[in-house]
Every structure is written in C-alpha cells, then in structure tokens.
Amino acid sequence: MTNPTGDGGAGAAGKPAVARRRILADLTPLRTSPDYRRLWIGNTVSWLGQAMTALAISLQVYDITHSSFAVGLVGLFSLVPLVVFGLYGGAIADTVDRRKLGLASSFGLFLLSLVLAGAALAGFHEVWLLYSIVALQAVCGALNSPARTSMIPRLLPPEQLPAANALGSMTTTSGTMFGPMLGGLVVGLWGYQAAYLIDAVTFTVGLYAMWRLPSMKPERGAGAAKRASVVDGLRFLATRPNIRMTFFTDMCAMVLAHPRALFPAVAVLWFAGDAKTAGMLVAAPAVGALLGSVFSGWLGRIRRHGLAILLAVASWGAAVAVFGLTRNLWLGMFFLALAGCADTVSMVFRSTMLQAATPDEMRGRLQGVFIVVVAGGPRLGDFLAGSVADLTSPQLAITGGGAACVLAVGLLALKWRGFARYDARSPEA
C-alpha cells in the first residue's frame, strides 16, 4: 500500500519527535551557536561547584562557631557586596570588553576556591577568612553576571532568547537542587577541602568557555560617553516603562509572597513534621522550577511577553495563597511546585524582555539592576513574611501575601496598560 505522505513513513514517525520539541526545552541555541553552547556548559558545571562551596562554607562556619547566627551572617556578607557591585559591575560591563571582564572575574572565583581549599588542607579554620572569601566571591560574581548575561543577545538571534533563558533557568535550578546534596556528600566523605577543590576544577570549564568567545566590546551609539555611568543607566530605566515593569512584577512576587522563611515553622505547626519536612517544602518550588524549564518548548511561541509575565506572577501569588490554606503536606508541596513553575515562566520572559528591548550599550547596567532585584527581593520577602507571621500568624502572612501579590500585579497592569500589549516581534522598552 502506498504511503499517502510520500515519505516512506517518516512523516508519521516524525510527529512524536515534533511534539516532543514543542513541549520539552528548546535546544536550538545549543545546536546553532557553539559559543553559546560552551558558555552554557561552562556555567552549568561551575554553578554546580559554586552551590557545593556555598553549603560547605555554611557547614564549616557552623563547625567552627556552633552558632546559627554566625551561619546567617554568611548571607549578609554576600548580599551587601552583591547589591553594591551589581550596579557597578553592570557599568563596567558597558565600558570594557565583556569577554575580558568575564575572564577576569571567573579567574578571581577560581583563585578564591583554591584559597579555601588551601586553608582547609593547612588546617587554618578561621571564620573571618570564610566571611572575607564569601564577600570577595560576591564581588566577583557581581562583576561576572552582567558581563556574561549581556553577551547572550550577541551570540543568538532574538527569537532564540526565550529558549536560552529557559536553559539558563535549568542551570541555576538544577545547581541549586543538586549542588548542596553533592556538597554534603563530598564534605562527609572527604572533608571541606575536597568540595573546594572540586569547585576550583569546575571553574576551569567556565574559564575555557569564556576564553573561546570572540571580543565582546559594547556597541556604542554616536555621542556615547567613553565611561558608562550607573546614574545614566538608572536614568535610562526611568524612561522605559516596560523594562521597569519587569522589575516591579518580580518584586511583587519576591517581597509580598515569599514564604521561605516560614517553612520551618509551618513544617511543625501545620504538618507535624521536622527539619526534613522543612527541607521538602524548600525543595518543592525548585522542583517545579526545574520542571518548568524542562518542559519549556512552548515558551518560544509566545509573543505577548508582558501579558505572560503578568499571568505568571499572578499565578505565583495565587499558588502561594492556596498553599497557606492547605494542611496536607503533599497538596501543599504541589502548590509550591506550581509556584516554582510559574516563577520559571516569569523569569524567562523578564530576562528576554530585558535583553531584547535594551540597547547593547545599556545591557550591562540593566543586568546589574536585575541582580540587585533578584538578590534583594527574596531577602526583603523573608523579613516581611517573618515579621507579619510574628505579629499575626503564619497563615495570614502566607495567604495574605499571596493575595497581596495578585492584587499588586493587577494594579500595576491597570497603571501601565501598555505592558500587557508588549509584542516580542517589535520589542519596545
């Protein structure tokens, strides 16, 4: 019998493959751009090593001090440099060759991992050294991230940016999930020095990827200043309502509806659990975020990025609000996973808008602002959730925060109606 498709059956066999490509993560950027592929692989490997080191440092600080407060200070020593140098690093990325800046900052992180390993091998266990290394790591990271992220629109065409950002989300989420587990295993078997040495080795992959890139000097318009100014970047942001909205909507989710700080309490009060239960609650959004990245093939077909962000952030808030009403652990984890998946969708389109609607000469500075929002928002959210829970109850803090997020996103959408009409085919900042 003759095959009506005329392809010897290939058409029927190819349909499942096409369907998988439409559902699963779009790997086109990895196939079409060797430079992006090396950069992604290097970032994925080094992120896993960084997550291992972050856990190892926390464990070592506690081993030295036996103080949870001392461990909490690790976050403070990283947050302040990250916020300050996030803005400054973006300005540098708009001034110098981004490839050279990425190389220098990656090499700095590599050296810091070697210092940690050397100190551990030498038996030099001083908490001030660990705090100093954490702060310096934050400085290097704040310089590296704007440089690396602002390169991506130079390596890929605009239509591949959503897929690239979904792949980037997969990198960070998988590293956040598996890095601490691997770090705990390595520290338990071979000590802190082994985790730090593995981290140093992983950085060599990122260094090689950065070294293979072409020159990435910022493209400058006529009359542009030779030295990029942070103030000029903020002035530019003030005139771009669509880009501002990407930051505002993220702050709605991270500040108003960020229940992470309450997981230890609700694990005991709501689910009669313990530290393991709290760990499961912490992991649930990350699992949802990872699944959102894996099954992100459909995101590349969305053109109304602003509307997608509004719906995704509202979905985050609604899922968090419903979680606050649940008293079944597995149902609660399901809604947290939904929130994590919605956060991935929001992140993909926020990053894509920031890359596509910003001129190259401003991308570094806007990425610096992005770092400040991403780093500072969850910390403010932890403080707000903890304060409200102490004054009222965890349920009101979580459910009320989720509802406040949905309301705030709705008000922002009404205030800046053009954001919902943003079309990726003609990006406007």
Side-chain angles (χ1 to χ4, degrees):
M1 183 175 178
T2 303
N3 181 4
T5 65
D7 59 5
K15 287 181 180 179
V18 172
R20 285 194 296 271
R21 286 197 296 269
R22 290 178 175 177
I23 297 173
L24 297 177
D26 185 358
L27 304 181
T28 303
L30 298 177
R31 290 195 298 266
T32 60
S33 173
D35 286 330
Y36 174 78
R37 181 169 61 247
R38 284 189 292 266
L39 191 64
W40 183 81
I41 292 173
N43 190 39
T44 300
V45 174
S46 60
W47 189 271
L48 185 68
Q50 285 180 284
M52 290 177 55
T53 288
L55 178 74
I57 288 176
S58 295
L59 292 174
Q60 191 173 6
V61 168
Y62 187 79
D63 193 26
I64 295 170
T65 65
H66 302 288
S67 167
S68 296
F69 176 76
V71 177
L73 285 178
V74 172
L76 182 62
F77 274 94
S78 65
L79 176 61
V80 174
L82 194 62
V83 169
V84 174
F85 284 89
L87 293 174
Y88 186 62
I92 296 175
D94 285 339
T95 303
V96 304
D97 187 331
R98 290 163 180 164
R99 171 183 172 272
K100 292 181 179 179
L101 179 60
L103 273 173
S105 52
S106 295
F107 188 69
L109 289 166
F110 167 74
L111 290 179
L112 290 171
S113 294
L114 288 181
V115 171
L116 284 170
L121 285 168
F124 187 76
H125 303 297
E126 295 291 340
V127 72
W128 65 263
L129 175 65
L130 298 176
Y131 287 153
S132 301
I133 295 295
V134 164
L136 291 172
Q137 284 177 330
V139 172
C140 291
L143 296 174
N144 183 270
S145 184
R148 187 183 64 251
T149 309
S150 57
M151 293 177 189
I152 294 176
R154 301 270 291 273
L155 301 175
L156 298 170
E159 63 271 15
Q160 293 184 18
L161 291 179
N165 288 315
L167 291 169
S169 175
M170 194 183 303
T171 291
T172 56
T173 305
S174 59
T176 301
M177 285 180 60
F178 300 119
M181 291 190 294
L182 185 58
L185 180 64
V186 169
V187 169
L189 291 174
W190 301 297
Y192 302 114
Q193 64 273 10
Y196 301 143
L197 283 172
I198 291 174
D199 186 22
V201 172
T202 63
F203 269 117
T204 62
V205 182
L207 280 168
Y208 173 76
M210 199 75 69
W211 177 70
R212 288 290 303 274
L213 289 175
S215 175
M216 287 281 178
K217 294 181 180 180
E219 298 172 354
R220 295 196 170 279
K226 291 183 178 181
R227 180 168 297 179
S229 165
V230 173
V231 175
D232 288 343
L234 296 176
R235 287 173 180 165
F236 172 82
L237 182 60
T239 64
R240 299 300 190 268
N242 284 333
I243 296 180
R244 287 203 310 273
M245 275 288 286
T246 65
F247 296 131
F248 291 160
T249 51
D250 188 49
M251 294 295 283
C252 288
M254 294 298 100
V255 176
L256 298 176
H258 196 254
R260 179 182 61 188
L262 304 183
F263 286 158
V266 302
V268 176
L269 297 175
W270 295 359
F271 306 118
D274 52 16
K276 294 179 182 177
T277 308
M280 293 169 66
L281 294 175
V282 172
V287 171
L290 182 59
L291 290 174
S293 301
V294 171
F295 297 99
S296 61
W298 60 277
L299 297 181
R301 298 190 293 276
I302 304 297
R303 296 289 180 262
R304 299 281 295 279
H305 291 183
L307 180 60
I309 291 170
L310 293 172
L311 293 175
V313 176
S315 297
W316 163 281
V320 169
V322 176
F323 165 73
L325 300 174
T326 61
R327 294 299 180 268
N328 177 277
L329 176 61
W330 297 107
L331 185 61
M333 290 175 61
F334 170 76
F335 282 108
L336 288 176
L338 281 182
C341 185
D343 186 48
T344 290
V345 175
S346 168
M347 187 283 302
V348 167
F349 290 124
R350 285 186 292 109
S351 297
T352 301
M353 284 184 65
L354 187 61
Q355 292 165 342
T358 305
D360 186 74
E361 65 189 53
M362 286 286 178
R363 281 187 183 131
R365 278 165 284 185
L366 270 290
Q367 289 295 336
V369 176
F370 184 84
I371 291 173
V372 172
V373 172
V374 170
R379 272 78 173 185
L380 291 174
D382 288 342
F383 175 76
L384 180 62
S387 300
V388 173
D390 281 348
L391 293 173
T392 57
S393 68
Q395 177 174 327
L396 183 60
I398 294 174
T399 300
C405 171
V406 176
L407 177 61
V409 168
L411 293 175
L412 286 172
L414 290 175
K415 175 67 174 176
W416 287 284
R417 298 176 185 268
F419 185 69
R421 296 191 295 269
Y422 177 95
D423 192 323
R425 290 168 292 192
S426 54
E428 297 179 359

